[in-house]
Amino acid sequence: MEDIEVPPFFICPISLEIMKDPVIVPTGITYDRTSIEKWLFSGKNNTCPVTKQVISSDCEELIPNHTLRRLIQSWCMLNASYGIERIPTPKPPVNKTQITKLINDAKAPLQQVKCLGKLRSIADENDTNKRCMESSGVVEFLVSIINKFNSVVLEEYGTFEVTRPSDEALSLLYNLKLSESSLKRLNGQQFIESLTQIMQRGNYESRSYAVLLLKLIIEVADPMPLINLKPEIFEEIVQVLRDQISHKATKATLQVLIDVCPWGRNRIKAVEAGAVSILIDLLLESTERRPCEMMLSVLELLCQSAEGRAELLKHGAGLAIVSKKILRVSKVASDRGVRILYSISRFSASPSVVQEMLQLGVVTKLCLVVQVDCGNKTKERAREILKLHGRVWKDSNCLPVNLLSSYPA
């Protein structure tokens, strides 16, 4: 291969490799389909890489360059003795007419199940098909099925089996990897309520897909809808955390809480749903870095409210586990842990809490934070906590003698 000169017009301008499925964009430039689709469908680019002209991401505007493909295939066959493999003829992507007919014919629940199976097969073939489906009304079709979550027991082969088309629709909707504009259109009250119902009454797989999809929607949502989230959704999010459906669902749930808690009364809604106690329980068992960081981040947000701090202090292991994770997980975890202790020390430090922090070794841990390299802001915050209650802590017998020198004046 190294001794063969490849004709330059066989090379994709993006990948710099021989094109397997050359397509022409509206500017007249030919690219390999996989490369230009990845460029356009990432959501970050809307220009032709060569000419810099604006082009649409519509999959139907990518015209197969059959002449060039045949030339490349012939060249590969002529040079087969050099170890060059023939490029197979690519399967043509699905078009909007085919997709529209498929979803229009799916009226009854059983027809919808069969239609969903066909749509999944089409989506699994390539990203082009996924984008074509997205622009052909499939998203609206799937949402309409999901919004009818409480449907239907289908009879098949003489036995009754609970089969909800919404389960398959939800999985397919998530796996389409929707664009930001499509995700924003999903952020309506009815669809969010449907996801809430699925998290409440769906099977484990559907509940997992519901929270994964909710995470994607919230990541691109405007602030106003987040302010108006209902308490019921927090109850179901916390229940997903409690049930530990899957590692992926747990991380998605934590990210949802991180994204929504800064807005409106969401902190209080999460606290009232029992988030603080379940997060502490999970921290007691968790040893992985990223989940610990996320749990402490959520706790830090919740402890910015009086209700959150009260729940943490009410839990027998609250202060102890936060202190334990400091300097044991990562700099991020240490920062979040110290922030939690700062909120407690500044706003909820009754005499009994101050004594408890001393007895549990929290003060000792803060003295260690001041000494080690864990970030200047974290160290400064630890010093402030120690100064706040220096009269009680500094001369205590509970504080190791070797750490007294690090206690701030």
Side-chain angles (χ1 to χ4, degrees):
M1 182 71 179
E2 294 179 357
D3 299 329
I4 301 174
E5 183 177 350
V6 180
F9 53 92
F10 288 2
I11 302 298
C12 173
I14 297 175
S15 68
L16 302 181
E17 296 178 355
I18 297 176
M19 289 182 276
K20 297 179 180 179
D21 186 8
V23 293
I24 307 171
V25 301
T27 60
I29 307 298
T30 297
Y31 300 92
D32 194 36
R33 182 184 291 277
T34 301
S35 298
I36 191 62
E37 285 178 351
K38 187 175 181 181
W39 170 269
L40 293 174
F41 298 158
S42 66
K44 299 177 182 178
N45 306 296
N46 64 346
T47 59
C48 172
V50 172
T51 68
K52 308 304 180 185
Q53 292 176 269
V54 175
I55 55 177
S56 168
S57 60
D58 190 334
C59 55
E60 293 194 349
E61 291 195 8
L62 303 179
I63 309 301
N65 192 334
H66 295 300
T67 302
L68 180 57
R69 175 179 54 76
R70 293 188 186 104
L71 283 172
I72 294 173
Q73 288 176 325
S74 298
W75 180 85
C76 289
M77 291 178 67
L78 289 172
N79 292 279
S81 59
Y82 294 96
I84 296 176
E85 297 181 2
R86 181 181 182 276
I87 294 172
T89 302
K91 184 177 179 180
V94 71
N95 59 53
K96 289 184 178 180
T97 304
Q98 293 171 298
I99 297 296
T100 303
K101 184 179 185 306
L102 190 60
I103 61 180
N104 286 342
D105 290 343
K107 305 298 183 185
L110 186 56
Q111 291 173 326
Q112 290 176 351
V113 171
K114 292 179 179 179
C115 173
L116 289 168
K118 292 178 182 178
L119 289 174
R120 178 172 290 280
S121 297
I122 293 170
D124 288 343
E125 289 178 4
N126 52 55
D127 286 342
T128 305
N129 288 353
K130 290 177 182 176
R131 299 288 73 79
C132 184
M133 291 166 67
E134 183 177 348
S135 62
S136 303
V138 170
V139 175
E140 292 76 10
F141 173 69
L142 296 175
V143 168
S144 69
I145 294 175
I146 293 167
N147 285 339
K148 299 172 184 174
F149 170 69
N150 292 320
S151 52
V152 311
V153 176
L154 298 179
E155 185 177 5
E156 192 171 7
Y157 306 115
T159 60
F160 282 96
E161 181 183 12
V162 176
T163 306
R164 287 192 177 99
S166 58
D167 294 340
E168 179 66 18
L170 188 64
S171 167
L172 181 54
L173 188 62
Y174 173 74
N175 286 299
L176 281 180
K177 300 177 182 177
L178 300 176
S179 64
E180 182 174 328
S181 59
S182 290
L183 287 170
K184 284 188 173 182
R185 290 198 299 272
L186 293 180
N187 192 20
Q189 183 175 344
Q190 183 181 6
F191 188 66
I192 298 298
E193 287 179 356
S194 295
L195 293 181
T196 305
Q197 290 176 1
I198 292 170
M199 284 190 283
Q200 182 181 29
R201 297 196 296 275
N203 58 40
Y204 269 22
E205 184 178 13
S206 292
R207 292 173 68 199
S208 179
Y209 278 120
V211 76
L212 288 167
L213 194 54
L214 180 64
K215 169 183 170 287
L216 296 178
I217 293 170
I218 285 175
E219 283 176 345
V220 300
D222 296 324
M224 189 55 67
L226 300 184
I227 293 172
N228 297 321
L229 289 174
K230 294 185 177 180
E232 291 80 8
I233 195 167
F234 290 92
E235 293 171 5
E236 299 313 322
I237 288 172
V238 171
Q239 189 61 49
V240 170
L241 268 183
R242 184 177 288 111
D243 291 342
Q244 290 289 281
I245 295 173
S246 69
H247 186 72
K248 195 172 182 180
T250 296
K251 289 181 72 173
T253 306
L254 291 169
Q255 189 60 54
V256 167
L257 289 171
I258 290 171
D259 290 339
V260 302
C261 281
W263 301 102
R265 290 176 52 83
N266 289 343
R267 291 186 187 89
I268 296 173
K269 295 173 189 174
V271 171
E272 291 175 346
V276 173
S277 61
I278 190 62
L279 286 168
I280 294 170
D281 291 340
L282 292 175
L283 276 171
L284 288 168
E285 301 173 0
S286 180
T287 56
E288 294 184 51
R289 180 185 63 82
R290 185 56 184 154
C292 280
E293 290 175 349
M294 297 178 79
M295 292 172 199
L296 288 167
S297 294
V298 178
L299 272 179
E300 191 266 324
L301 286 167
L302 299 183
C303 284
Q304 291 176 21
S305 69
E307 293 84 354
R309 295 190 295 273
E311 285 296 311
L312 183 133
L313 293 172
K314 189 166 69 175
H315 195 294
L319 283 173
I321 191 60
V322 170
S323 175
K324 182 178 179 180
K325 295 299 180 182
I326 295 172
L327 301 182
R328 289 196 177 192
V329 179
S330 67
K331 285 188 176 181
V332 172
S334 296
D335 175 71
R336 300 302 183 271
V338 171
R339 284 172 181 264
I340 293 168
L341 296 178
Y342 182 79
S343 293
I344 297 293
S345 299
R346 187 170 182 185
F347 302 110
S348 301
S350 65
S352 60
V353 170
V354 171
Q355 285 298 324
E356 184 181 3
M357 294 176 75
L358 188 61
Q359 293 165 5
L360 290 174
V362 175
V363 182
T364 300
K365 180 63 69 76
L366 290 170
C367 289
L368 290 171
V369 169
V370 171
Q371 290 183 329
V372 302
D373 179 22
C374 59
N376 290 333
K377 290 185 178 180
T378 303
K379 293 170 74 169
E380 183 58 37
R381 199 169 278 112
R383 287 192 189 95
E384 288 184 39
I385 299 171
L386 292 170
K387 288 179 181 178
L388 277 172
H389 305 290
R391 290 183 180 180
V392 178
W393 291 342
K394 192 170 183 180
D395 298 323
S396 171
N397 294 330
C398 296
L399 193 64
V401 177
N402 61 315
L403 292 178
L404 285 174
S405 60
S406 65
Y407 204 100

